[in-house]
Amino acid sequence: MTATRRFDVSDSGIEAAAWLMRNGEVVAFPTETVYGLGADASSPAGIERIYEAKGRPRHNPLIIHVSDLEMARRMAHFNPEAELAAASFWPGPLTLLLPKREDAGLATAVTAGMKNVAIRFPSSSVAQRLIRAVGFPVAAPSANRSGKVTSTRFAEVARQLDGRISGIVEEDTCDHGLESTILSLVDSPTILRHGSVTREALEALLGPIDEDSAPQKVSAPGQLKSHYAPEAAVQMNVDRPSGNMVWVGFGPESEGCQFTLSFSGDLHEAARNLYTVMSEADASAGPNDVIAFAPIPLTGLGWAINDRLRRAAAPRPA
Ligand code: TXA
Ligand code: MG
């Protein structure tokens, strides 16, 4: 057990958190998408501690977070499409998969030994200040135990990871609520994970984009089928609940539901609420209850929300 310290977002709080990271420790911090579990990406000890704390398989690589475009260019080879995507969507919730520069100085385990690296320049000012204070990119998966519900709030990070990491920067500002969109630009543009930068927005910039048909085995090993899973079983597209269901609604029909993702039917609000509602529904579910989600439309952000629900509802490993 490690004593997990709390840091506020004052300059001294950020500096203390960065000091731990520069010394090979793991600190959780908020981004505009979800909480990250961060370590200095040049530190083999820090990266090892991330895998350990998260219980993550060692073949599943980590996203690195940068505080400016120059830092990103030192880590990966940027092609014209990458420059275009970065100019349009950075800083923000888009991760680019690009060929890694061999002189980048990244710990090998960050990319699980692979030739490509996933990079994101977050818009969160706390994340940016922390990365600048570390002075090198910060490797960070989402701050949850492997396979469990992603944390978008300090309290959920503390619940899952207290005693396993050295610190948590406390600020509830994960406004998007869903993990970043992952776009591979190694070959032709391919979406490896849906997120709040939508396919429509990417296609408007880059033209037609493929969707990885078997992401769990091709290029993003972390996209295992069962993921984001609460303890209770999950069902999606449920129009009418039965006796043993905790029902999560969407839109004005949520009237009779125990929870709603958004009363007004707003997809941004639904994305922001998704993981918190999932955790709260889980806490209120009885031992044989199922968490049942009403249908979410397949437009814009609806793709990302349906993707997360599909994985939460997927068969669990024995
Ligand atoms: O919004 C986000 O992306 C959050 C915040 C903290 O930035 N991070 C996040 O990380 O969601 P994680 O580790 O939970 O999901 C990253 C996904 C995993 O499925 C992983 O397999 C994939 O990105 N990935 C990371 N590096 C990769 C690489 N070099 N090649 C292929 N896939 C990679
Ligand atoms: Mg994750």
Side-chain angles (χ1 to χ4, degrees), residues 60-141:
N60 190 358
L62 310 175
I63 296 174
I64 62 167
H65 298 70
V66 297
S67 52
D68 57 70
L69 192 49
E70 279 309 308
M71 195 186 260
R73 291 199 186 102
R74 287 195 291 274
M75 299 294 127
H77 297 287
F78 272 63
N79 53 30
E81 280 160 333
E83 291 291 351
L84 200 57
S88 305
F89 295 108
W90 278 3
L94 177 69
T95 296
L96 298 177
L97 188 70
L98 296 169
K100 181 173 86 166
R101 293 182 66 113
E102 284 315 319
D103 60 356
L106 293 167
T108 315
V110 168
T111 56
M114 290 189 260
K115 319 196 286 302
N116 302 319
V117 61
I119 308 189
R120 187 160 96 77
F121 176 4
S123 62
S124 153
S125 62
V126 167
Q128 289 182 9
R129 288 165 60 212
L130 189 62
I131 299 160
R132 272 199 299 273
V134 172
F136 197 78
V138 168

Side-chain angles (χ1 to χ4, degrees), residues 29-37 54 56 59-65 93-95 97-98 110-112 114-120 122 140-144 150 178-182 192-193 218-224 227-228 308:
F29 63 99
T31 81
E32 74 278 19
T33 58
V34 302
Y35 253 92
L37 198 55
K54 194 170 160 92
R56 181 174 191 139
H59 62 261
N60 190 358
L62 310 175
I63 296 174
I64 62 167
H65 298 70
L94 177 69
T95 296
L97 188 70
L98 296 169
V110 168
T111 56
M114 290 189 260
K115 319 196 286 302
N116 302 319
V117 61
I119 308 189
R120 187 160 96 77
S142 52
N144 51 278
T150 308
L178 289 180
E179 298 87 345
S180 61
T181 303
I182 305 182
L192 303 183
R193 179 175 72 188
V218 185
S219 22
Q223 299 302 86
L224 308 167
H227 212 119
Y228 316 108
R308 303 306 188 272

